């Protein structure tokens, strides 16, 4: 057990290693991620791995990414303009979010990243993808890119349990994830993993186990999402048929705090909940009040006198 809060110097009463803090330390200013849609597809949509996609997926899981009818440059400026209403200046990380951004010929990936790097005040790139869509060739290119800029590759895992992955039609296994992880890890590429809390059939203990397994790897960062049930998805039908229940806010806050305690203190926390879209979200509607959820997480950590890594047993 780690007995002293290592985050007491972080502002806002945060008891975990926030992305905002990490990026300010690294770049000396506010850094804003700009979500983009490079017009990729996904092997779980086009029939290569599966059809219909993950049961929770709406339009490639990039609801807040730009519009693919626009070029990367047009999307960048459009999203940047919106962001600048909140933060008038800073540096930017173009984030290829929608669909599977390494599922394309290498030339397309090269041109997408070269365009992003040529944009003004860009200090890095983030690329979201499936762990089963990284070839040796792509990994070699990502390693080259990583030597040039601050690169993070975001791998959608969601759960370490193959039975849950099968239920949600992920069409890859935990072993597939580990193979993709190894390709990146062996090349010293920053890896961020996405997990989803509240998947059908998963218990509290299973959600903690996914995080325990992640704490045994060498991750740069992690995103913990709350399962959003979105109109028009297979999962929405299952939910409406009463096949599973959405998480309650108390359960979610408790789960996230338990997970934070298990993570190494040097793993950056990029996300502790999702951004729901009011128009399309069916449940849980309480998650639309994101600031309330974030405040409750801070409050619960204070109440426990706990912090990220308090129960982490490994070496950092
Ligand atoms: S891997 Fe991502 S883009 Fe593909 S179906 Fe699943 S959630 Fe949608």
């Amino acid at each position: 057990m780690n007995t002293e809060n290592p985050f007491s110097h972080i502002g806002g009463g945060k008891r975990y290693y926030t992305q905002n803090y990490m990026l300010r330390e690294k770049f000396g200013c506010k850094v804003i991620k700009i979500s983009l849609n490079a017009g990729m597809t996904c092997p779980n949509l086009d029939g290569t791995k599966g059809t219909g996609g993950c049961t929770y997926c709406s339009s490639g899981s990039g609801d807040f990414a730009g519009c693919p009818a626009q070029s990367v440059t047009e999307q960048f400026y459009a999203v940047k303009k919106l962001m600048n209403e909140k933060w008038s200046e800073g540096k930017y990380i173009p984030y290829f979010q929608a669909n599977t951004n390494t599922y394309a010929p290498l030339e397309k990936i090269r041109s997408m990243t070269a365009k992003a790097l040529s944009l003004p005040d860009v200090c890095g790139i983030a690329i979201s993808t499936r762990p089963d869509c990284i070839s040796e060739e792509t990994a070699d290119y990502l390693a080259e890119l990583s030597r040039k800029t601050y690169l993070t590759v975001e791998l959608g895992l969601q759960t370490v349990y193959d039975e849950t992955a099968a239920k949600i039609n992920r069409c890859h296994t935990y072993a597939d994830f580990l193979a993709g992880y190894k390709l990146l890890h062996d090349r010293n590429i920053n890896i961020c993993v996405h997990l989803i809390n509240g998947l059908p059939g998963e218990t509290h203990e299973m959600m903690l186990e996914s995080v325990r397994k992640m704490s045994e790897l060498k991750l740069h960062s992690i995103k913990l999402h709350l399962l959003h049930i979105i109109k028009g998805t297979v999962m929405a039908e299952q939910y409406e048929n009463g096949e599973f229940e959405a998480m309650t806010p108390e359960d979610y806050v408790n789960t996230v705090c338990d997970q934070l305690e298990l993570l190494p203190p040097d793993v950056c926390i990029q996300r502790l909940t999702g951004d729901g879209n009011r128009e399309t979200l069916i449940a849980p509607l309480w998650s639309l009040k994101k600031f309330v959820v974030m405040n409750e997480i801070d409050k619960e950590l204070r109440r426990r006198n706990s912090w990220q890594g308090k129960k982490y047993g490994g070496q950092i």
Side-chain angles (χ1 to χ4, degrees):
M1 167 114 29
N2 300 309
T3 52
E4 271 185 49
N5 174 9
F7 305 107
S8 48
H9 59 291
I10 294 190
K14 298 294 178 198
R15 288 170 170 247
Y16 53 89
Y17 188 31
T18 69
Q19 170 173 243
N20 190 35
Y21 177 82
M22 182 273 289
L23 290 173
R24 270 194 189 274
E25 286 282 290
K26 187 171 177 65
F27 294 105
C29 63
K30 174 74 190 166
V31 178
I32 303 158
K33 276 175 97 171
I34 305 277
S35 293
L36 300 170
N37 186 333
M40 299 288 189
T41 179
C42 170
N44 201 12
L45 292 167
D46 73 5
T48 303
K49 282 284 174 135
T51 49
C54 307
T55 55
Y56 55 83
C57 177
S58 67
S59 58
S61 276
D63 286 352
F64 292 92
C67 164
Q70 294 181 317
S71 69
V72 160
T73 306
E74 286 167 332
Q75 290 177 48
F76 177 83
Y77 283 108
V79 182
K80 178 175 177 289
K81 191 167 165 228
L82 285 178
M83 294 296 178
N84 288 154
E85 287 170 12
K86 194 165 173 193
W87 299 286
S88 59
E89 56 188 44
K91 290 187 175 156
Y92 303 92
I93 296 181
Y95 170 34
F96 292 99
Q97 180 184 15
N99 286 311
T100 302
N101 289 288
T102 56
Y103 184 55
L106 189 55
E107 271 324 296
K108 181 162 180 179
I109 301 168
R110 268 185 195 279
S111 108
M112 157 187 116
T113 51
K115 178 55 72 190
L117 274 185
S118 72
L119 294 164
D121 298 320
V122 161
C123 63
I125 294 189
I127 297 177
S128 174
T129 193
R130 285 171 59 95
D132 58 347
C133 286
I134 300 165
S135 64
E136 291 267 352
E137 188 193 32
T138 306
D140 286 343
Y141 170 65
L142 293 173
E144 184 190 319
L145 189 62
S146 170
R147 287 190 288 273
K148 273 195 222 150
T149 192
Y150 169 66
L151 172 71
T152 311
V153 177
E154 303 196 10
L155 297 179
L157 169 61
Q158 325 313 0
T159 173
V160 300
Y161 289 93
D162 288 347
E163 63 266 32
T164 310
K167 249 188 227 163
I168 61 173
N169 196 41
R170 271 300 289 177
C171 293
H172 71 69
T173 61
Y174 183 48
D176 293 333
F177 164 82
L178 289 174
Y181 165 86
K182 187 170 185 318
L183 283 169
L184 300 175
H185 177 257
D186 287 352
R187 290 165 175 79
N188 286 321
I189 296 167
N190 293 328
I191 302 167
C192 172
V193 169
H194 292 221
L195 295 176
I196 300 180
N197 285 325
L199 290 170
E202 290 230 329
T203 61
H204 180 77
E205 184 46 41
M206 289 167 86
M207 295 177 227
L208 298 198
E209 185 57 19
S210 284
V211 163
R212 257 185 224 110
K213 286 270 189 304
M214 292 307 100
S215 75
E216 290 162 8
L217 303 178
K218 191 71 199 149
L219 299 187
H220 166 273
S221 45
I222 195 160
K223 289 186 177 177
L224 299 175
H225 297 270
L226 165 65
L227 177 68
H228 282 160
I229 300 148
I230 297 171
K231 280 181 192 160
T233 59
V234 173
M235 195 165 272
E237 256 177 63
Q238 295 168 340
Y239 176 72
E240 276 158 2
N241 289 339
E243 292 175 37
F244 72 100
E245 288 181 5
M247 286 182 95
T248 64
E250 296 74 23
D251 195 10
Y252 188 70
V253 167
N254 193 39
T255 302
V256 165
C257 292
D258 288 350
Q259 291 173 322
L260 286 171
E261 288 176 340
L262 293 170
L263 281 167
D266 65 341
V267 170
C268 166
I269 307 297
Q270 288 213 34
R271 222 172 227 295
L272 288 183
T273 181
D275 281 312
N277 180 336
R278 188 169 294 281
E279 305 297 308
T280 56
L281 184 70
I282 295 177
L285 292 175
W286 55 262
S287 68
L288 290 170
K289 292 186 179 160
K290 186 174 164 188
F291 287 104
V292 173
V293 180
M294 299 304 286
N295 283 338
E296 289 302 315
I297 291 168
D298 292 339
K299 260 165 61 184
E300 176 60 13
L301 288 172
R302 272 199 305 278
R303 190 194 66 74
R304 297 181 184 192
N305 190 24
S306 194
W307 47 82
Q308 177 183 344
K310 189 169 186 185
K311 295 185 181 166
Y312 170 66
Q315 301 282 315
I316 56 167

